[in-house]
Every structure is written in C-alpha cells, then in structure tokens.
Amino acid sequence: MGKSMRMRAQAVGVGVLLMALALDVFAASQVKSVRLWRAPDNTRLVFDLSGPVQHSLFTLAAPNRLVIDVNGAQLATRLDQLSLSNTPITGVRSAQRTPNDLRVVIDLSAPVTPKSFSLAPNQQYGDRLVIDLYDQGADTAPSLPPTTIADNPAVPVSPTQPAPKLTPPPPPGSKRDIVVAIDAGHGGEDPGALGPKGQHEKNVTLAIAKELQRQISQEKGFRGELVRSGDYFIPLRKRTEIARKKGADLFVSIHADAAPSRSAFGASVFALSDRGATSETARWLADNENRSDLIGGVGSVSLDDKDRMLAGVLLDLSMTASLSSSLNVGQKVLSNVGRVTPLHKRRVEQAGFMVLKSPDIPSILVETGFISNHNESQKLASASHQQALARAITGGVKQFFQQSPPPGTYIAWLRDQGKIAAGPREHIVSSGESLALIAQRYQVGLTALRSANSLKNDTVKVGQVLQIPATALAAQP
C-alpha cells in the first residue's frame, strides 16, 4: 500500500472514531429538570431524564457534601432555581466531567443518610433518578427495590419513605378523643389527576384534608390527624402505618376523581372489597413483620405469639368488623356529601385500594368530585366548597361514632351518661356475616333484630342495610 493510501486510510479511521464519539455524545441522556420536596424528616430530589442512566453516590465531610456521579448524562437544566428552604441543602452545583459523565455536588448543612434508585417511564413521567436524603435519626428502613402503587400503576414510589413524627395515643382509662386519620391523596412528585386548567389533585386533596382536620378537631371528643401536612409523597402502605401509630379509630383518604370523558361528575365513597380483604389477610399471615404488629385498635391484640390458625381467625374477625364499620360510616358520609354536591353513585362502592386495607381500622376513600370536569374542578378549588365537603364528611363521621363510639372515649362516656342520644343504628351486611354474629356484635337479641327488620328468617344478603334496635341483649330463642 502506498504512502498516500495509508494516509487516506488513517484519515478515514480518525473520521470514523470522531463520528463514533459524536454519536456517543449525542446518545447521552439529558437531565431535563430537577424537582425537590421536603417531608417531615427527609428531602427528595427527582432528576427527570430523557433516557436511562447509571449512577453512584458518596458522601464527604468537613464540609458535608453528597456527590452524585451520573454516567451517560448531560445537564440540560439549571440547578440554581431550586427552593432549598427548610432543607439540609445549602447549594447544588454540577460539572460535566466528560461529555457523557455528569457530577452533581449537593452542599449540606448537616449530615444525611442518602438512598437512591432509578425509575422507568410511566404514564406521567419519563426515566427518573430519585435521591432521598434522610435526616440524621430518621427511620431509614433497609432499602427495597422500588415498587409501584397498587391502585395507581402510573405512580412509582419508594417503599422506604419514613413516616412523619407520630403522637402516641393517650393512656388507657382516660376519656380519650376519637382519632380520625385524614389522608390527603398523592403529593410531592405524584400530582394525581390534573384539571382542565392545570389544577393538581394533590393540592385540592391537601386543602380539603386540612379543613376536615380543623372541623373534626373543633368537635369535643374528636381529634383529626393529618397523614401528610405538606407537598411530599408518602407510600400507600406507609400511610396506614402512620394512622395506626397515631391510634386512629377511622382512616379517611381524600381524593378527586378523573375520567377520559370530561362530562363525568359526582362524588363517591369507597370501602375495601371482599376480595381485597381476603388478599390482605393472607398477606398479613405470610408476613412475619406484620404478624408482630397489633390489631384491634385500642384493645389491641398481638399476633406474634399466636399460632397460624388462631392468628388467621383473629385477623379474619378483625377484617370483617373493620369492613362492616367501613361500609357503615361510608354510607353516612356519602349521604351527607350528597347534600352538598351531586353523587356519582348512590351507594358505597368497594375496591381493592391499598389505603383501605387496614385489618384493624375502618377505612374509607372519598372521591370529592371529578377534577377532570370543568365545573367540578372550579368548585373543588373553591374554599367555600372545600368547607362544605369537610362539613359533610364531619357530619357523617359524627353520626357513625355517636351510634358506635369506641370504648373508653369521651363520646362513649356521653352516651353512657345519657347526654347524647344513640339514635337509630344501621348495619350494612358484609361478606361472611350472619344475623347471629351481627346480633352479638351489637348486643341485641335475635328476635328483636328480626322484628326491627321484618325478617321472616335469619337469612341476610351482602349489602343489605339492617336497622339495629336499641334493646339490651335478650335471651336467645
């Protein structure tokens, strides 16, 4: 080969190499934006990416810093516009170490425990890199693979998000308040449904939840507790754990519905489905960590020292009672809500939503309306309508607990003293219940129960509404 031909071959080789490098640079993922949220004891950073990346991180001291190396990425956004108030982050800076390798340095005012994971695209977002910075002393459980919200597959979550600071229930023997845990749906990087004018469900639900907490706490003998108090995300199963640790007697999750058809309208109330209850009972029995938890609210029962059969019976009884109460309070809330806004369905619906799966806490999910509907989205954003919805939910909750107050509560004491009328009681039959079991639960005689409902025999159907007479337990016929 002549000298000129060798030179041309070398030039071609260099050209191919340069082209390959250019293509490699072109193929690098873009960091399109960075989002930040503060939770009670952690800070979450989400890097929105145009494609998948590899990453690693390490911490440095004196001064405290977190270094994140993102391989296969280029920065295509600004980092100096993040709101860092009330976080341990004092600054965020970056450098492109190579055309394909990005380094992000987070300056910290205090040491943190970092955890990170990548998320694949879903219906709302593309690829993401999530960095959780836990404050020192926060409950940072061992990392688990990222999971997906069971009743909203579009929204991935971290299972290790810690709970807000918890207030333990008062000691037994006191006339304690009835505790209502109020869960504002979505939050943080999960906006929920979007309204026609860009309203975020997470903001609407938080506003209604705060108003509901205010109104419930104004009622003597009741206390409202927020599951989340700001714009941050809490994994679904963690929400029920927070309610349990707060000693909740009732769990109310607030949402705003959406549908492809903008004409869909109306509020709904959901309780757990029978199928969801069965699968959750099985999960608790299979999970050793859950078995060491308590069930039964104030009169809690530990499953840790029970054999599998007894634990299964206790769980089944607890879940059945919880579901029955959920349907009962749900119907009262639905009736009250129907006085202030149109209803989508006139009976309590049942579904396997994750936040409804407590075996020991009656739980309902209130869809306050369709945020995808133009008229309802405007109402849901209105403070006056939010107050009206909160009053309706509060009214339903009060009616339920005045009829069936938990033992040891101030409301139970008032009823026992004859200072409040128990009023007519209703029971919605759930799967697995018999008339005899219902009579025993409410301490009424079978004959009185049959008579109050004009029953010719002891056959009852799922969903049937029974009137519970105010009669002391009589001798069984």
Side-chain angles (χ1 to χ4, degrees), residues 134-444:
Y134 293 101
D135 302 344
Q136 277 202 338
D139 175 20
T140 53
S143 290
L144 299 170
T147 186
T148 303
I149 295 179
D151 52 336
N152 188 354
V155 187
V157 302
S158 163
T160 57
Q161 183 104 358
K165 304 300 185 197
L166 302 172
T167 305
S174 62
K175 298 183 185 69
R176 67 176 185 87
D177 290 337
I178 291 172
V179 179
V180 180
I182 305 163
D183 169 45
H186 307 280
E189 72 271 27
D190 171 19
L194 298 178
K197 294 187 177 180
Q199 304 97 323
H200 286 175
E201 181 184 359
K202 66 175 182 177
N203 297 329
V204 169
T205 60
L206 183 60
I208 296 172
K210 286 183 174 180
E211 177 61 22
L212 180 58
Q213 183 214 23
R214 185 187 71 81
Q215 291 191 24
I216 284 178
S217 297
Q218 282 184 337
E219 300 288 340
K220 186 168 177 58
F222 289 85
R223 186 173 81 250
E225 293 278 0
L226 289 174
V227 171
R228 77 170 171 97
S229 57
D231 186 16
Y232 51 89
F233 185 78
I234 302 174
L236 295 184
R237 202 171 286 281
K238 180 66 74 174
R239 295 176 189 233
T240 58
E241 290 176 16
I242 293 170
R244 185 170 294 109
K245 290 177 181 177
K246 286 178 179 287
D249 298 286
L250 175 67
F251 180 91
V252 180
S253 189
I254 305 296
H255 286 256
D257 219 335
S261 171
R262 294 288 178 92
S263 62
F265 69 95
S268 307
V269 175
F270 285 85
L272 185 62
S273 65
D274 295 328
R275 182 176 179 181
T278 301
S279 64
E280 186 66 7
T281 300
R283 194 191 72 83
W284 271 64
L285 283 173
D287 190 327
N288 288 330
E289 182 179 348
N290 271 332
R291 289 193 64 187
S292 65
D293 284 346
L294 301 177
I295 63 168
V298 177
S300 54
V301 177
S302 173
L303 301 179
D304 202 27
D305 58 348
K306 309 295 188 295
D307 64 37
R308 186 177 181 84
M309 181 174 292
L310 178 56
V313 170
L314 291 172
L315 269 174
D316 189 55
L317 288 171
S318 181
M319 184 67 86
T320 299
S322 177
L323 179 53
S324 174
S325 295
S326 300
L327 290 168
N328 198 336
V329 68
Q331 191 61 51
K332 289 176 170 55
V333 167
L334 186 67
S335 297
N336 279 274
V337 169
R339 298 188 179 104
V340 301
T341 195
L343 296 179
H344 188 63
K345 295 284 180 66
R346 294 197 168 274
R347 60 172 293 175
V348 177
E349 300 178 74
Q350 292 183 257
F353 293 129
M354 182 69 72
V355 291
L356 300 177
K357 291 188 174 182
S358 289
D360 53 342
I361 307 172
S363 303
I364 60 172
L365 185 147
V366 182
E367 293 280 9
T368 52
F370 279 80
I371 199 172
S372 53
N373 179 290
H374 178 74
N375 292 332
E376 287 203 335
S377 68
Q378 289 183 315
K379 286 167 57 179
L380 288 170
S382 158
S384 61
H385 188 65
Q386 292 169 1
Q387 291 168 5
L389 287 169
R391 276 195 302 272
I393 297 170
T394 300
V397 169
K398 279 183 61 182
Q399 289 170 15
F400 170 74
F401 280 117
Q402 284 175 349
Q403 293 176 2
S404 305
T409 61
Y410 176 74
I411 302 301
W413 178 81
L414 284 180
R415 188 197 61 180
D416 295 342
Q417 296 294 312
K419 297 184 178 182
I420 59 171
R425 292 183 293 176
E426 293 180 346
H427 177 89
I428 302 174
V429 179
S430 59
S431 178
E433 289 188 316
S434 65
L435 195 68
L437 185 65
I438 296 167
Q440 185 178 17
R441 177 182 173 189
Y442 289 98
Q443 295 292 288
V444 298

Side-chain angles (χ1 to χ4, degrees), residues 57-98:
L57 53 83
F58 58 92
T59 56
L60 296 171
N64 293 306
R65 287 154 289 163
L66 174 67
V67 180
I68 308 166
D69 285 329
V70 188
N71 302 321
Q74 297 174 336
L75 187 66
T77 187
R78 294 177 59 180
L79 300 175
D80 58 0
Q81 296 181 334
L82 291 171
S83 176
L84 306 179
S85 59
N86 195 33
T87 76
I89 302 174
T90 58
V92 183
R93 45 201 170 91
S94 68
Q96 203 71 45
R97 301 172 67 202
T98 72

Side-chain angles (χ1 to χ4, degrees), residues 31-45:
V31 178
K32 299 185 294 183
S33 65
V34 181
R35 297 173 283 137
L36 180 148
W37 288 272
R38 176 63 184 171
D41 51 8
N42 73 90
T43 303
R44 171 169 286 192
L45 284 159

Side-chain angles (χ1 to χ4, degrees), residues 83-152:
S83 176
L84 306 179
S85 59
N86 195 33
T87 76
I89 302 174
T90 58
V92 183
R93 45 201 170 91
S94 68
Q96 203 71 45
R97 301 172 67 202
T98 72
N100 279 7
D101 294 320
L102 173 67
R103 169 165 286 184
V104 177
V105 179
I106 298 176
D107 297 309
L108 301 163
S109 60
V112 297
T113 302
K115 294 183 183 294
S116 65
F117 54 90
S118 297
L119 291 172
N122 63 27
Q123 297 172 3
Q124 288 180 309
Y125 301 108
D127 287 278
R128 282 144 294 157
L129 171 60
V130 180
I131 310 293
D132 284 330
L133 309 178
Y134 293 101
D135 302 344
Q136 277 202 338
D139 175 20
T140 53
S143 290
L144 299 170
T147 186
T148 303
I149 295 179
D151 52 336
N152 188 354

